[in-house]
Amino acid sequence: MTLSMRTLAIIAASALSILVNGCAGGGGGGATVNAKPDFIVGTIGIVSYNGTSDDLATAGLGKTGLAGVSPTAADPLNPTAAELRKIAIYNNYRALVDVNKPSGGYGTLFGPNVDVDGNATTSEGKIAGNEYLAFADDGTGMQNVTLMVQIPATFDRNNPCIVTATSSGSRGVYGAIGTAGEWGLKHGCVVAYADKGTGTGFHDLAANTVNTITGVRQPAATAGKNSNFTAKVSASDLAAFNAATPNRFAVKHAHSQQNPEKDWGRDTLRAVKFAFYQLNEERGDASSGGGHLTTFTPKNTIVIASSVSNGAGAALQAAEQDTEGLIGGVAVSEPSIQLQPNPALTVKRGATTLVGTGRPLYDYFTTANLYQACAALSPAAAAGPGAALVAVSPATNRCASLKAKGLLTATDTAGQALESLNMLRAAGWQSDSDVLQASYYALATPAIAATYSNTYGRFGVLDNLCGLSFAATDATNKPVAIAPATLAATFGTANGVPPGGGVNVVNNLSPGGPLRDPVSISPSTGLLDYDIDAAICQRKLFTGSDANATRVKTGISETLRTANLRGKPAIIVHGRNDALIPVTFTSRPYFGQNKIVEGVASQLTYIEVTNAQHFDTFIDNAAVPGYDSLFVPLHYYFIKAMDAMYARLKSNTPLPPPQVVRTVPRGGTPGSAPALTLSNVSPMSAAPAAGNQITFSNNTVTIPD
């Protein structure tokens, strides 16, 4: 029988423990007693799931239920923690994975029923095990980062592994359940989750109620330090604010005044430590003095830092900050990562050359927020899926307002739309992304600009930054008290960035009274132009030099990274067409900067996938027909990247070299594309052809066209 190196390490650690303790049953680290991390505050919740009526991966819904209608609470006004968890898992899974149609690959190429070898089975994919939940905090109750550990019943002590699943976007702790969470649980790994200080912290200022760690709502005074998020506002200021601007919400990512992104790496590392603690408590050897020993350590356990989007950025941050050797390797998809400037780096694709390490997220989002609505009217963008989500009249007015304010020079709408698109291209967007500019603006850009302007500047809810606030709105688009049942379910339905969970972005400055922002009037123009005043205000927070701009730029500087992964093996996959987190600002320069700072020690590989973009959930979504014809799921390549990293850490199998993977779109009629098959998702190659190789030499990354 051949034993793995990790099995031998566990046996050796146990043998050492026997010698030290004089008894059998000891564990790793020379008989170190397992100790709860000091950042864990309050009670650690635990729930066991049988894998039948309820489970870790699908909340009992299984593959079929995740593709079905949303679960609801028996009493919508008083949902239980279990009901909120089920609603949250349903919505978070579907937000990242295309479950809309079987023809999109769900249930055949990916999904709970697809086994670790990629075979579709008849299983519903339910996984039994224990789930642990706790806050990480400094004692003030102001951070309260939610950490969660899932230990599947299939965990194998002879092949121990931990996978991080830090939430994507601004989502709550279940925000990576369908990506890194599912992969880890299928492989019998412990999964370490973190909501990274964003999550579904919705403080209803009028009613003064908040979410607790399980999503159940309580009065802020009752919740106290057990609140997921309570705005830092005095009673008198709160009363004055409610009188002047009733029915508003403070939202954690925007208004915590913590700039949580600076700590996403720390939060991910803490999740790993929490996972080791709980794993040793549950599966570790007994200590002769009571309790458990640290049987499982980074020396004998595979640890993969993983996730997608913001969670992927958190994984890279964690690897950079990992001075304790907690992480063995990194496998991420479409990472939102921002780099310290380095003008020595050059990235070339065909005839296009970009110098430097990309652009900060706030820079490119505020650029997009200015120009995307007008660019949506250009022929290339108007031909894209979901283009109709951008209304022609306010988009035309946006073009005219940009011209009136000296931000465009063309004199007619057609020329202004093309000029706006060219502005985006010149800023670094790929022409491959043209068809996505309209739908991404309608579905994401303004909301993210509003949240990040607040978070980077550590602005509070009282500031009403750029004239914007968050509130429920009625049929006339005016702020109103939120429906009680909608509020009660926010933990399960909201994504952490309004609009979502029944809460919208409101323009407080719209003449005649506050209105939902997209249909409001800009005071300076008197036009329905997608609130150009807010967009310009947000842009000036990056380009300006006043006190507010200084606050925002200080916050941005705290999030910039080095790309030094400390020699850890790593793989990044990213869609070339991504218009939200473009490759030119993130993965391409990160790859190059890593090669510069690590030199020959670098073990980072970069896979760029053609015909892939940021939101797999849109691919077979009836609301945006055409994604199905044009794009393949990047999630498929995330799975392959995880497989490759696991093989690298377990068997020392080489990672695939840096390359462009050329996929084949499904084609067909938009909205009813033919079924996705393996012929559409070309494999990553162990020896890519010369025309597909991504190379680095003389501080230059070269990307084949």
Side-chain angles (χ1 to χ4, degrees):
M1 178 176 66
T2 301
L3 298 179
S4 72
M5 292 299 293
R6 282 175 173 75
T7 301
L8 292 171
I10 294 172
I11 293 171
S14 296
L16 177 59
S17 174
I18 292 170
L19 290 174
V20 173
N21 284 283
C23 64
T32 302
V33 176
N34 194 38
K36 184 173 75 171
D38 59 8
F39 52 79
I40 297 295
V41 297
T43 302
I44 298 173
I46 175 175
V47 181
S48 297
Y49 296 99
N50 58 21
T52 305
S53 60
D54 209 340
D55 77 300
L56 298 178
T58 74
L61 295 167
K63 172 250 183 182
T64 303
L66 288 172
V69 298
S70 175
T72 58
D75 178 359
L77 297 179
N78 297 285
T80 66
E83 289 171 331
L84 289 169
R85 175 183 181 270
K86 182 171 290 189
I87 296 169
I89 288 177
Y90 173 87
N91 284 302
N92 281 285
Y93 191 102
R94 294 169 62 92
L96 299 181
V97 178
D98 177 18
V99 306
N100 297 291
K101 295 180 180 179
S103 58
Y106 180 70
T108 57
L109 298 183
F110 53 84
N113 65 305
V114 177
D115 68 19
V116 296
D117 296 316
N119 301 310
T121 73
T122 58
S123 167
E124 284 292 308
K126 299 178 184 181
I127 298 173
N130 293 329
E131 184 171 291
Y132 301 87
L133 195 65
F135 277 141
D137 189 66
D138 59 1
T140 65
M142 297 301 297
Q143 296 175 344
N144 276 5
V145 176
T146 304
L147 302 182
M148 185 173 74
V149 173
Q150 292 182 327
I151 303 180
T154 52
F155 175 82
D156 179 3
R157 65 179 287 116
N158 293 321
N159 292 284
C161 52
I162 294 174
V163 172
T164 73
T166 308
S167 64
S168 68
S170 303
R171 297 183 174 278
V173 75
Y174 294 100
I177 192 80
T179 52
E182 181 180 276
W183 189 97
L185 292 172
K186 283 182 180 178
H187 286 75
C189 299
V190 176
V191 184
Y193 298 84
D195 76 352
K196 62 189 189 318
T198 58
T200 45
F202 279 60
H203 183 177
D204 181 353
L205 299 172
N208 204 16
T209 63
V210 296
N211 293 108
T212 60
I213 194 170
T214 61
V216 174
R217 294 194 69 81
Q218 291 181 348
T222 303
K225 290 185 178 181
N226 293 319
S227 166
N228 179 286
F229 164 66
T230 301
K232 191 176 181 180
V233 182
S234 70
S236 59
D237 285 344
L238 179 60
F241 182 81
N242 283 335
T245 48
N247 302 314
R248 298 309 201 269
F249 278 80
V251 178
K252 187 170 187 178
H253 192 175
H255 298 133
S256 71
Q257 299 179 277
Q258 300 286 309
N259 190 19
E261 186 176 347
K262 74 182 190 306
D263 295 319
W264 287 354
R266 177 205 66 183
D267 296 338
T268 301
L269 291 171
R270 284 180 168 182
V272 174
K273 292 179 180 180
F274 184 38
F276 271 117
Y277 168 71
Q278 289 299 165
L279 175 60
N280 282 306
E281 285 294 284
E282 182 178 308
R283 303 293 184 97
D285 296 327
S287 167
S288 60
H292 295 84
L293 297 166
T294 54
T295 308
F296 303 100
T297 73
K299 292 182 179 180
N300 60 35
T301 304
I302 288 175
V303 180
I304 302 176
S306 181
S307 194
V308 305
S309 194
N310 281 356
L316 291 171
Q317 289 182 33
E320 291 187 21
Q321 296 167 2
D322 181 20
T323 60
E324 301 173 72
L326 295 170
I327 294 169
V330 181
V332 296
S333 174
E334 56 199 4
S336 175
I337 193 75
Q338 309 182 76
L339 284 162
Q340 294 173 3
N342 180 6
L345 176 66
T346 298
V347 179
K348 292 183 177 181
R349 177 193 165 188
T352 302
T353 299
L354 294 176
V355 176
T357 42
R359 304 175 68 169
L361 178 145
Y362 191 75
D363 179 12
Y364 62 80
F365 262 97
T366 52
T367 300
N369 201 30
L370 268 181
Y371 292 107
Q372 274 183 328
C374 181
L377 301 178
S378 66
L389 295 173
V390 177
V392 172
S393 178
T396 300
N397 289 341
R398 170 60 71 91
C399 292
S401 295
L402 287 167
K403 172 63 169 65
K405 292 179 179 295
L407 298 172
L408 292 176
T409 59
T411 56
D412 63 353
T413 301
Q416 292 158 359
L418 183 57
E419 185 180 358
S420 291
L421 182 64
N422 287 334
M423 295 280 279
L424 295 171
R425 289 175 176 172
W429 273 265
Q430 301 290 276
S431 59
D432 310 73
S433 301
D434 289 353
V435 295
L436 294 171
Q437 299 292 1
S439 59
Y440 274 30
Y441 178 79
L443 296 167
T445 302
I448 294 172
T451 288
Y452 279 82
S453 57
N454 279 280
T455 192
Y456 285 144
R458 290 183 170 85
F459 293 101
V461 68
L462 302 185
D463 291 307
N464 283 327
L465 186 65
C466 295
L468 301 178
S469 62
F470 299 144
T473 54
D474 63 14
T476 65
N477 297 302
K478 296 178 181 179
V480 294
I482 193 168
T486 301
L487 177 61
T490 17
F491 179 83
T493 59
N495 62 13
V497 174
V503 179
N504 294 313
V505 182
V506 170
N507 179 3
N508 296 333
L509 306 178
S510 185
L515 290 174
R516 188 168 61 88
D517 192 48
V519 294
S520 66
I521 305 298
S522 299
S524 73
T525 64
L527 295 174
L528 176 64
D529 58 9
Y530 283 121
D531 194 3
I532 194 172
D533 290 343
I536 289 175
C537 171
Q538 291 160 349
R539 182 63 184 157
K540 286 182 177 178
L541 291 172
F542 184 79
T543 61
S545 57
D546 63 13
N548 282 353
T550 299
R551 287 173 63 172
V552 169
K553 286 186 278 191
T554 297
I556 293 170
S557 70
E558 294 173 331
T559 70
L560 303 182
R561 303 302 164 193
T562 65
N564 185 350
L565 294 172
R566 303 174 182 270
K568 300 180 192 298
I571 181 169
I572 295 173
V573 296
H574 207 143
R576 173 171 283 186
N577 305 71
D578 195 333
L580 192 83
I581 308 293
V583 291
T584 46
F585 307 142
T586 53
S587 292
R588 287 178 182 174
Y590 193 92
F591 172 73
Q593 183 64 9
N594 174 264
K595 299 302 180 186
I596 290 175
V597 298
E598 290 191 25
V600 295
S602 171
Q603 296 191 68
L604 172 63
T605 191
Y606 171 49
I607 310 295
E608 187 165 299
V609 183
T610 66
N611 307 305
Q613 47 85 47
H614 201 82
F615 294 112
D616 278 6
T617 188
F618 293 164
I619 291 179
D620 283 281
N621 193 313
V624 280
Y627 273 81
D628 57 345
S629 300
L630 297 174
F631 302 114
V632 301
L634 190 63
H635 177 60
Y636 178 82
Y637 291 96
F638 168 78
I639 294 169
K640 297 304 179 185
M642 291 291 289
D643 292 344
M645 182 51 62
Y646 187 70
R648 167 66 178 79
L649 297 177
K650 187 174 180 62
S651 306
N652 205 31
T653 304
L655 293 172
Q659 62 191 274
V660 172
V661 174
R662 303 191 186 277
T663 66
V664 180
R666 290 154 63 189
T669 303
S672 57
L676 182 78
T677 69
L678 287 174
S679 65
N680 299 109
V681 284
S682 310
M684 295 184 285
S685 174
N692 294 332
Q693 294 174 10
I694 295 174
T695 61
F696 176 81
S697 179
N698 298 320
N699 289 354
T700 300
V701 177
T702 302
I703 310 284
D705 245 339

